[in-house]
Amino acid sequence: MQRRGNGAAPMGIDRRSLLVGAAALGASAACSGTQANVRTAPDGAGFSKEGLERLHAAMAAHVERGDLPGAVTLVSRGDEVHVDAIGTTAFGGTAPMRRDTLFRIASMSKPIAGVATMMLVEEGKLRLDEPVDRLLPELANRKVLKRLDGPLDDTVPANRPILVSDLLTLRMGMGAIFTRDPYPILQAMAEKGVAVGPELPKAPSPEAWISALGTLPLMHQPGEVWMYDTGLTVLGVLLARAAGKPLGDFYRERIFEPLGMKDTGFSVPAEKLERLATSYWRNQETGRFDLFDAAGQESRFSSPPGFPDSAGGLVSTADDYLAFARMMLNKGEHGGRRLLSERSIELMTTDHITPQQKAVSPFGPGFWDKRGWGHALSIVHKHEPGDPRGFGWDGGYGTSSYWDPRTGVIGVLLTQRMMDSPSAPAAFVDFWRSAYEAVQG
């Protein structure tokens, strides 16, 4: 799910369109450019050939209909990995999707921010129960609106400071409001460039962004209500200050390089830009799919951002994200090296949102009936065919990844058509249904 902006998207629309924009259709793309890679797992431990063929057919159908220009899918279990690259990187284009095509992963960035936080907690540079005031003085002495639709000066003092854990669990008291009404707080957030919407922050620096946010009152008392997704954007500023270095450098040194995630970052180097897929959104007035972010030098991701957004700003590949998901599935270990303790993984994958908080925290239809929220990721408690299982999250630019400790299955779906519905996109449903149906044993 994704994200924010400077008023470019209408505030208060449904969950997916607010958090992630809208999406792409266009010229049909041929599916003959498929790339598949399979490694053999022990008998009964991997996937069935017929099931994988059905998965390919289901995803290829979306491309053939023009729902997507292309997609990269990855399913893994044990040592077996199956990657399928279907279609092209742009509507009407000829460049085929490849296993190493680069995608804007949007809110699939969030679990990575959670891991970074727990690393700093283990080192004693942060505490989950400490106020953020020490490192984020801009957010000290908060005021809270008496009512969401009230004037910005009609406030009461916060009952307590915002805690580090409030950022991870999205309970800092600030975030998306699902209304079309022109609430003063929503207008003020848009004017200051800190609103929730499809655009990534355009602030020239983390300091500028957090200073702008700090001029506004909170919407709710800290710790009371789950609100997507401002807390995890704030978290990026906190992490950089706690680590004593830019967020991208910290991620690269502590997460990306140890995991071999050589193509993941907040921007794309010039020599890799030809691998970046084009991103689209659906124009709600015309019904057509318009360009959201170009590929190549015209992409916003062709140069480092002034403010690297920990909630949704990363670019990655299927194999890079597989390495991250495997580390999470392996309880913090990768290649015989421990990056995070089992206890930290347990805390990340524990549902921290109480039933009372879920009752007053609207999101998508039926979201809390099946889900919970841990530290910067979603927890699937119940699932039906077409639902993911285990832990992970979706990205509003058209991406999804979950890992399931019960079956050992990891799934990664990468497209660049923005979500534009309160329900899971059809491609997501077909991917997860087919991936689990392909599991054998």
Side-chain angles (χ1 to χ4, degrees):
M1 322 294 160
Q2 174 80 335
R3 316 271 348 333
R4 75 202 37 212
N6 42 5
M11 299 303 296
I13 49 185
D14 63 58
R15 164 196 174 202
R16 303 256 180 191
S17 51
L18 173 63
L19 306 176
V20 270
L25 189 96
S28 61
C31 300
S32 57
T34 297
Q35 300 175 353
N37 301 81
V38 180
R39 284 186 277 141
T40 303
D43 290 343
F47 299 86
S48 71
K49 178 182 177 181
E50 295 78 10
L52 292 173
E53 290 173 349
R54 288 193 296 271
L55 171 59
H56 169 78
M59 300 311 299
H62 287 279
V63 175
E64 291 169 347
R65 288 195 299 268
D67 297 336
L68 304 168
V72 174
T73 67
L74 180 151
V75 288
S76 170
R77 193 184 192 197
D79 292 329
E80 183 175 352
V81 180
H82 178 90
V83 180
D84 203 4
I86 304 170
T88 60
T89 60
F91 284 121
T94 58
M97 280 289 185
R98 301 175 358 190
R99 181 170 182 156
D100 64 352
T101 294
L102 291 160
F103 293 83
R104 305 155 192 80
I105 63 171
S107 288
M108 279 170 55
S109 305
K110 287 178 169 61
I112 294 174
V115 165
T117 306
M118 299 311 295
M119 287 178 168
L120 292 172
V121 169
E122 290 185 0
E123 294 172 5
K125 294 181 179 178
L126 288 174
R127 295 197 329 270
L128 292 175
D129 61 352
E130 73 170 305
V132 301
D133 304 17
R134 174 173 65 90
L135 293 168
L136 300 177
E138 298 91 339
L139 300 184
N141 304 313
R142 291 290 81 200
K143 299 290 186 181
V144 182
L145 290 173
K146 288 183 179 178
R147 64 181 200 276
L148 285 177
D149 61 350
L152 299 184
D153 58 357
D154 189 14
T155 63
V156 297
N159 294 334
R160 65 163 175 80
I162 299 167
L163 306 180
V164 173
S165 60
D166 292 329
L167 304 182
L168 288 163
T169 60
L170 295 177
R171 292 182 293 189
M172 70 168 287
M174 200 74 166
I177 302 176
F178 303 97
T179 178
R180 293 184 181 275
D181 297 325
Y183 288 1
I185 185 63
L186 295 180
Q187 294 178 320
M189 290 179 73
E191 291 169 1
K192 292 181 177 294
V194 296
V196 178
E199 295 281 352
L200 293 168
K202 295 181 179 178
S205 68
E207 289 69 31
W209 189 89
I210 198 70
S211 294
L213 185 71
T215 64
L216 300 174
L218 298 178
M219 299 172 177
H220 292 282
Q221 290 288 344
E224 289 189 353
V225 177
W226 183 94
M227 300 189 75
Y228 205 74
D229 95 333
T230 304
L232 283 161
T233 303
V234 172
L235 183 65
V237 185
L238 181 81
L239 291 174
R241 292 182 181 180
K245 61 184 63 177
L247 187 63
D249 292 347
F250 179 66
Y251 277 11
R252 184 181 65 255
E253 294 168 11
R254 298 297 305 278
I255 300 174
F256 301 155
E257 288 182 353
L259 291 176
M261 298 172 68
K262 63 183 184 299
D263 288 323
T264 303
F266 288 105
S267 61
V268 181
E271 66 273 15
K272 296 182 180 181
L273 278 172
E274 56 89 20
R275 290 163 46 200
L276 180 65
T278 304
S279 178
Y280 299 88
W281 66 284
R282 185 191 294 274
N283 186 313
Q284 297 297 317
E285 295 182 356
T286 67
R288 295 189 302 231
F289 291 92
D290 293 342
L291 179 69
F292 179 75
D293 186 57
Q297 291 289 344
E298 295 181 1
S299 171
R300 182 176 176 184
F301 291 83
S302 64
S303 59
F307 176 28
D309 182 8
S310 60
L314 290 173
V315 175
S316 191
T317 64
D319 282 295
D320 272 15
Y321 211 85
L322 171 64
F324 175 79
R326 277 182 160 167
M327 182 274 294
M328 294 296 293
L329 191 63
N330 293 333
K331 299 181 180 180
E333 284 192 3
H334 176 79
R337 176 180 177 182
R338 179 160 291 283
L339 275 70
L340 209 57
S341 70
E342 290 191 28
R343 174 58 178 162
S344 289
I345 298 294
E346 180 183 350
L347 285 171
M348 285 189 67
T349 55
T350 296
D351 188 357
H352 296 286
I353 313 303
T354 69
Q356 294 77 18
Q357 290 167 344
K358 292 175 182 178
V360 295
S361 303
F363 203 41
F367 181 81
W368 295 115
D369 295 339
K370 299 179 181 180
R371 304 239 193 178
W373 190 263
H375 284 166
L377 52 75
S378 175
I379 298 163
V380 181
H381 293 306
K382 301 176 183 178
H383 57 82
E384 300 173 359
D387 292 337
R389 305 175 190 177
F391 312 107
W393 197 222
D394 307 312
Y397 296 155
T399 61
S400 184
S401 181
Y402 290 79
W403 52 94
D404 183 5
R406 292 168 295 178
T407 62
V409 173
I410 297 170
V412 181
L413 170 63
L414 300 176
T415 78
Q416 292 290 244
R417 167 188 166 169
M418 277 197 189
M419 299 179 187
D420 58 354
S421 167
S423 302
F428 283 35
V429 174
D430 287 346
F431 171 72
W432 289 113
R433 176 187 290 111
S434 300
Y436 293 125
E437 287 177 351
V439 176
Q440 64 181 11

